[in-house]
Amino acid sequence: MLHINIISLSTIQTEGRLDPKYFRFNEKREDLIHNSSINFHKIGDEYVTKKVTDGEHQAINLFKKGEKGADIRYLYVHNIKEGIVDLTDSLYINKDIHEKRLKRSQLKKGNVLLTIVGTIGKSAMVYDYLGEANIPRNISKIVVNEENIYPEFLTAFFLSQFGREQSFYSSGGNLQGLLSLTKLKNMFTPIPDKKTQEKIGKIYLEALELETESLNLIQSAIDYFYQKLGIDFDKFLKEKYYDTDVSDLESSDFWCPIYRYPMYLKIEEKIKSKWKTKKIGKIFDIKKGNEVGSSNYNNFIFKEKDQIPFVRTSDIVNYEIDQDPDFFIPKEIYEDLNQDIKPGDILFTNDGKIGEVSIITDTDKCIIQSHIKRLRLKDEEELDPFYIFLPLIIPEIGGYQSNRFTVIQSTIPTISNRIENISIPILNKKDMEHISGLVREAFELKDQKKTLFKKLKKDMDILLGYP
């Protein structure tokens, strides 16, 4: 159906852009606001917010977890997901820099985060599980006026279809998306009565509590695993220089220096001296994902309701898959590929960002890209995937072995089929059952959280009468 919008020259000059889709959305927004019984206010109004700012603009020294100076988590756009913050792929900054130089961009509980550069419109509220953190300029920090609007309600609004569309269409940019602070402040948010805000905000807070409890359970399993493994990894200091015997090279077709890295070898030898180990290739049937072609990608704005989340390596968040990723794929392709992804399957990123691990839960439905491998227990295998998941995410086991077996193909790192050589220590049956129980419970909570997020967005769309 042909739709005609008539836009005045003065409006075009005021907006400073000539984008038919932008003006079409503006018309929809004006109709929604005009016909709604709810009051709408601009986000930049003092009635709504006390502060709308972005993060640090200058370059800053970053550290990986475990390095000296890695004190405070420093978030990037890829850390902001569907209502939560990803903790599994973080960089850090020095505490002195955080406290003395970056006060403006420090995060506090209740701050609302919105991505404004690159991927636009991802939002989450700062909550207890995040801890101290800071942000760069590609993320905005919104401090609400809680006399009139609750931060959990505003975050829920940003997660709604209308909230996401407004962020998307308000942005501009050339090579990458950009939502300026001026444009952000001129966006509108509904402000219903406090009872309605509390009802919707409660769903979001319950979801955050489930996420917090889930991550705590996984951490408890990690602590228990380290205790029962009984190895002091601090003794295996990194060695700056080393050599290797020619016979070692001749015995392997893998000629990469990191493959003979003494720290990795000593840790592997120590584990094997204490515990029986089993290789991934013996435990799992391993299947690679598919590349469906970028011409089939649809982002959240243009996707149909029955389209399927397309999970890439960047869409694994806090050990699960993001149900609201950047791209979606037509249902017909999902059915044709028949990837047969089932609850309990482990996903392992095989190329690029290697070694990210997640478990499929009951509510998950997705297509995985070719850089991800699906691991499913063989029929005769007695081990539990919820146990095996844990050593795969332990840096000194799954992480170090992933590093050891990685090569660079042109410019892209890959572990290829060498994933099959990763060895998992087999603890005694009682300890493995305890670990499995903790991890299984964690993912049951994650599944409940996903259900709450679906309800949250549905309730917000119903409240707004959109679309």
Side-chain angles (χ1 to χ4, degrees), residues 265-309:
L265 295 176
K266 289 176 181 178
I267 287 176
E268 184 176 337
E269 289 170 3
K270 184 65 176 179
I271 291 172
K272 288 182 176 179
S273 72
K274 293 195 61 166
W275 299 100
K276 176 185 174 183
T277 63
K278 205 164 186 180
K279 291 186 176 182
I280 289 297
K282 299 291 184 181
I283 301 172
F284 291 106
D285 286 320
I286 301 174
K287 183 179 178 181
K288 187 178 181 180
N290 299 92
E291 189 50 65
V292 299
S294 59
S295 61
N296 291 307
Y297 294 2
N298 274 322
N299 70 12
F300 68 94
I301 298 293
F302 306 113
K303 73 179 180 72
E304 302 293 333
K305 286 190 175 181
D306 65 348
Q307 292 197 334
I308 310 300

Side-chain angles (χ1 to χ4, degrees), residues 3 23 64 101 113 119 124 229 245 276 323 336 356-357 368 402 409 415 444 463 465:
H3 186 93
F23 290 109
K64 294 181 180 179
R101 178 179 149 191
L113 305 178
T119 300
L229 192 67
D245 192 272
K276 176 185 174 183
Q323 276 296 297
D336 288 344
E356 296 292 316
V357 185
I368 59 173
S402 293
Q409 290 184 339
I415 194 172
E444 288 172 354
L463 174 68

Side-chain angles (χ1 to χ4, degrees), residues 163-179:
R164 293 291 303 277
E165 287 187 17
Q166 184 175 215
S167 298
F168 180 82
Y169 285 117
S170 297
S171 67
N174 295 318
L175 295 178
Q176 63 178 173
L178 172 64
L179 176 61

Side-chain angles (χ1 to χ4, degrees), residues 41-52 142 181-189:
H41 292 264
K42 287 188 176 182
I43 289 172
D45 289 352
E46 292 182 1
Y47 186 84
V48 180
T49 56
K50 295 180 177 180
K51 181 186 291 185
V52 178
I142 302 171
L181 293 180
T182 299
K183 292 288 187 183
L184 171 55
K185 291 176 182 178
N186 283 320
M187 285 166 45
F188 286 87
T189 180

Side-chain angles (χ1 to χ4, degrees), residues 132-149:
E132 283 192 281
N134 214 300
I135 53 172
R137 70 171 299 273
N138 51 14
I139 300 172
S140 69
K141 179 179 79 171
I142 302 171
V143 182
V144 303
N145 182 348
E146 293 196 39
E147 291 183 6
N148 301 310
I149 187 170

Side-chain angles (χ1 to χ4, degrees), residues 188-374:
F188 286 87
T189 180
I191 303 187
D193 61 85
K194 286 293 188 71
K195 186 176 180 180
T196 300
Q197 290 190 46
E198 288 174 355
K199 182 180 177 181
I200 288 180
K202 183 181 178 182
I203 299 172
Y204 182 53
L205 291 176
E206 287 177 359
L208 291 184
E209 282 295 320
L210 290 171
E211 179 69 2
T212 302
E213 190 176 349
S214 170
L215 293 174
N216 287 340
L217 284 168
I218 292 173
Q219 187 57 54
S220 295
I222 290 171
D223 294 341
Y224 186 87
F225 182 88
Y226 275 125
Q227 177 191 347
K228 295 302 178 180
L229 192 67
I231 296 175
D232 182 5
F233 289 106
D234 290 337
K235 290 183 178 180
F236 300 93
L237 300 176
K238 295 181 180 180
E239 300 180 29
K240 212 167 189 181
Y241 306 101
Y242 62 95
D243 57 24
T244 188
D245 192 272
V246 173
S247 61
D248 293 327
L249 298 177
E250 291 175 343
S251 64
S252 172
D253 60 355
F254 195 58
W255 285 30
C256 288
I258 200 168
Y259 181 70
R260 304 302 306 173
Y261 193 15
M263 183 179 74
Y264 293 168
L265 295 176
K266 289 176 181 178
I267 287 176
E268 184 176 337
E269 289 170 3
K270 184 65 176 179
I271 291 172
K272 288 182 176 179
S273 72
K274 293 195 61 166
W275 299 100
K276 176 185 174 183
T277 63
K278 205 164 186 180
K279 291 186 176 182
I280 289 297
K282 299 291 184 181
I283 301 172
F284 291 106
D285 286 320
I286 301 174
K287 183 179 178 181
K288 187 178 181 180
N290 299 92
E291 189 50 65
V292 299
S294 59
S295 61
N296 291 307
Y297 294 2
N298 274 322
N299 70 12
F300 68 94
I301 298 293
F302 306 113
K303 73 179 180 72
E304 302 293 333
K305 286 190 175 181
D306 65 348
Q307 292 197 334
I308 310 300
F310 183 56
V311 175
R312 302 176 299 163
T313 57
S314 57
D315 297 317
I316 292 180
V317 46
N318 289 347
Y319 313 115
E320 61 185 302
I321 64 170
D322 187 356
Q323 276 296 297
D324 189 21
D326 291 339
F327 297 109
F328 294 77
I329 301 299
K331 185 178 180 181
E332 297 75 28
I333 295 178
Y334 169 79
E335 293 172 345
D336 288 344
L337 290 176
N338 189 26
Q339 290 186 341
D340 188 31
I341 305 294
K342 296 180 179 179
D345 287 346
I346 292 177
L347 302 185
F348 187 98
T349 58
N350 199 71
D351 302 304
K353 183 181 169 186
I354 295 171
E356 296 292 316
V357 185
S358 65
I359 296 182
I360 297 295
T361 66
D362 289 337
T363 58
D364 289 331
K365 189 175 184 179
C366 67
I367 299 173
I368 59 173
Q369 75 167 168
S370 59
H371 296 322
I372 297 174
K373 288 195 173 178
R374 185 217 70 192

